[in-house]
Amino acid sequence: MRPGVRYMLYSTLAFSMMHICVKSLTHIPAHEIILFRSAVTLIISFAFLRYHRLPVFGTNRKILVLRGTVGVIALTLFFITLQRIPLAAAVTLQHLSPIFTVLFSMLFLSEKVKPSQWLFFLVAFSGVLLIKGFDERIEPIFMLLGILSAVFSGLAYVCIRILRHTDHAYNVVFYFPLVATPVMGIWCMINWVQPMGYEWGLLILAGVFTQVGQIFMTRSLQAEEASSVAILKYLSLVYALGFGYFLFDETYPWMSLAGIGLIFAGVGLNTFRRKVSL
């Protein structure tokens, strides 16, 4: 297994655990969760940079700031949808991001996408649509916010790809909380909800899982072409279906099983496309 593929699989699992933490914090506003998450990752990222004797503020600072900004927008929109609609549906909308990643990579990075890959993307995306189906619990406004989150996520991934030649993965990860912490801190001064008991632990865990997920995601996108590994994020939808059912009593139609099969087919064919003779 190529390193970029392996790193993205690790990242997907870590982010899925973070989704559980956020989904469990039902009455804590999204911006407050992001503040705690960012504060934790800011401390950890700074420690990593100092330990490895890397320049704290990196080299390509304009793109680093841009990556942090679009990442914060994407995460805020995603957390809002994650708290307002079923887990699998929220993750489904977020998983439109690989499509936007490919489009932005073609526009800004001149990366080539093989014709067969479009077929694999279509197969995987068809699986996403099949799993989602028609759900009356999803209001149009939250569907729109979910799609916008995917758009900004796609931009963030392209920024990471650009930074692969200039900055270490730790610098890329560091700029997200560097942007998010002051912005969300000001927001929380206006609207603050006091966490209770175990919620403090969930807030901290959300930050830890995020740090792990971001590091592996960044390493993956720096090791492989964005179009090759971004689609592996679809696997987190499988986790969302399982966690949603067992932890949050969310039920799904039988077509979800067929959708999972399509996702695995699309992901597998894309990952090993170089070994497939079409």
Side-chain angles (χ1 to χ4, degrees):
M1 183 181 296
R2 301 196 306 275
V5 174
R6 184 171 67 253
Y7 292 151
M8 187 59 80
L9 292 176
Y10 295 157
S11 172
T12 300
L13 179 58
F15 280 127
S16 295
M17 299 305 295
M18 180 270 291
H19 295 162
I20 295 176
C21 295
V22 175
K23 187 68 175 177
S24 300
L25 295 166
T26 54
H27 78 286
I28 303 296
H31 61 272
E32 195 169 322
I33 299 174
I34 295 175
L35 174 63
F36 277 91
R37 187 189 115 147
S38 299
V40 172
T41 56
L42 183 67
I43 295 172
I44 296 175
S45 296
F46 181 78
F48 280 8
L49 289 169
R50 297 294 293 176
Y51 177 79
H52 291 282
R53 298 181 179 179
L54 296 169
V56 174
F57 295 103
T59 303
N60 194 347
R61 296 178 183 178
K62 290 183 179 180
I63 300 300
L64 285 167
V65 171
L66 179 61
R67 182 267 181 270
T69 302
V70 296
V72 169
I73 296 173
L75 185 66
T76 302
L77 296 175
F78 175 54
F79 275 11
I80 292 173
T81 59
L82 191 61
Q83 290 186 316
R84 298 298 186 90
I85 65 178
L87 178 61
V91 175
T92 296
L93 293 176
Q94 177 65 16
H95 280 26
L96 293 171
S97 60
I99 305 301
F100 294 111
T101 300
V102 172
L103 295 177
F104 291 137
S105 295
M106 293 176 62
L107 290 175
F108 301 122
L109 304 180
S110 299
E111 291 188 359
K112 303 298 182 181
V113 179
K114 294 182 178 180
S116 59
Q117 281 186 269
W118 291 108
L119 174 61
F120 304 153
F121 286 145
L122 179 62
V123 170
F125 188 63
S126 297
V128 173
L129 294 178
L130 190 60
I131 288 176
K132 177 184 177 298
F134 182 77
D135 196 332
E136 296 181 350
R137 295 171 294 181
I138 304 175
E139 298 179 21
I141 182 61
F142 295 119
M143 175 173 290
L144 176 61
L145 292 180
I147 294 172
L148 288 175
S149 173
V151 171
F152 283 102
S153 292
L155 284 172
Y157 298 150
V158 171
C159 289
I160 292 173
R161 188 69 180 159
I162 294 174
L163 292 165
R164 71 188 186 279
H165 295 306
T166 60
D167 292 274
H168 193 279
Y170 294 149
N171 290 108
V172 178
V173 172
F174 176 68
Y175 264 80
F176 178 90
L178 188 64
V179 173
T181 302
V183 173
M184 297 304 163
I186 294 174
W187 196 345
C188 285
M189 292 175 64
I190 301 173
N191 181 18
W192 172 260
V193 176
Q194 181 68 24
M196 304 297 291
Y198 72 92
E199 292 176 339
W200 289 100
L202 290 177
L203 287 168
I204 294 174
L205 282 176
V208 173
F209 284 127
T210 296
Q211 180 73 11
V212 174
Q214 285 185 332
I215 288 176
F216 280 121
M217 181 190 70
T218 301
R219 288 185 173 181
S220 174
L221 291 173
Q222 290 184 332
E224 301 279 348
E225 288 188 359
S227 58
S228 298
V229 295
I231 199 171
L232 291 174
K233 289 174 62 63
Y234 281 126
L235 291 177
S236 65
L237 180 56
V238 179
Y239 295 131
L241 286 166
F243 292 143
Y245 179 79
F246 289 107
L247 300 180
F248 303 106
D249 296 323
E250 296 175 352
T251 57
Y252 311 98
W254 65 268
M255 290 189 299
S256 296
L257 296 177
I260 291 174
L262 288 176
I263 291 172
F264 272 116
V267 170
L269 289 172
N270 182 75
T271 302
F272 300 103
R273 73 192 188 286
R274 295 172 183 172
K275 300 181 180 179
V276 176
S277 177
L278 296 178

